[in-house]
Amino acid sequence: MKQKIFKEKYHIFEIEFTKSELKYSTVDEIIDELKKKIDANEIIAYIATFNQYDHTVNIKGDINPAIKEAKNIVFCFGKEIPTPEVLAVRPRSIGIVELEDSFVVNFLEAPNEQANVAMENIVKSLID
C-alpha cells in the first residue's frame, strides 16, 4: 500500500494488484468482497455502490483508454459526531479500477487514523 499525494493536495492510499494475485476477476467481484467486509463490521455502514465509469460515459466525459471499469463502494464510519465539521469528511469510499492486467484500489486519507487502518486492512485482505 502506497501513500500518495494526488493533485498536490489530496492524500490517498493506493495499491495495485496484478490480476494473477487475486481470486477476483472483475470489479464487481471485488466490490462484493469489500461489501462483505463492511457489513461484518458493526461500526461501518454500507451506503451504495457508484459506477463512476458508466456515469462518465453517460455525461460524455473523458476516460483514460487504459481504464476498463471504475466503481466506488461508499460507506461510513459513524461512531461519533464530535463537531459539525466531521460531516464534511464523511462518508468514505474505496475506488476500484480495472486496467488490462491489474486492479487499482484506493481511498482518500481519513482524519481518523483508526478509519485509515480499517480501510487499509479491508483492502489488503483482498489478497488473502
Side-chain angles (χ1 to χ4, degrees):
M1 176 96 27
K2 297 179 200 172
Q3 284 189 276
K4 298 166 67 172
I5 299 176
F6 175 66
K7 292 202 172 194
E8 300 181 17
K9 65 179 169 180
Y10 300 104
H11 294 256
I12 66 171
F13 290 82
E14 183 173 274
I15 191 165
E16 185 168 354
F17 297 106
T18 63
K19 288 185 175 180
S20 63
E21 285 181 279
L22 299 178
K23 64 182 178 183
Y24 315 104
S25 57
T26 67
V27 169
D28 285 335
E29 289 176 1
I30 293 171
I31 293 277
D32 289 344
E33 184 61 26
L34 293 174
K35 186 174 183 310
K36 287 177 192 171
K37 306 276 185 194
I38 288 166
D39 288 344
N41 188 313
E42 64 187 29
I43 296 172
I44 307 173
Y46 169 79
I47 298 169
T49 298
F50 177 65
N51 191 322
Q52 182 68 59
Y53 190 93
D54 283 353
H55 170 72
T56 306
V57 167
N58 289 336
I59 62 168
K60 297 179 179 38
D62 293 326
I63 299 175
N64 181 326
I67 295 173
K68 308 298 179 201
E69 185 66 83
K71 293 184 179 182
N72 288 81
I73 185 165
V74 184
F75 52 92
C76 190
F77 292 87
K79 195 169 142 180
E80 59 187 22
I81 305 174
T83 66
E85 294 82 6
V86 76
L87 274 71
V89 296
R90 290 187 182 155
R92 311 302 308 164
S93 76
I94 296 174
I96 302 94
V97 171
E98 181 179 3
L99 302 173
E100 186 65 34
D101 297 318
S102 64
F103 293 102
V104 176
V105 182
N106 54 32
F107 59 88
L108 185 66
E109 181 177 27
N112 178 314
E113 186 57 30
Q114 289 175 325
N116 290 320
V117 169
M119 288 186 288
E120 186 171 352
N121 288 338
I122 288 170
V123 168
K124 285 180 174 178
S125 74
L126 291 170
I127 204 149
D128 291 342

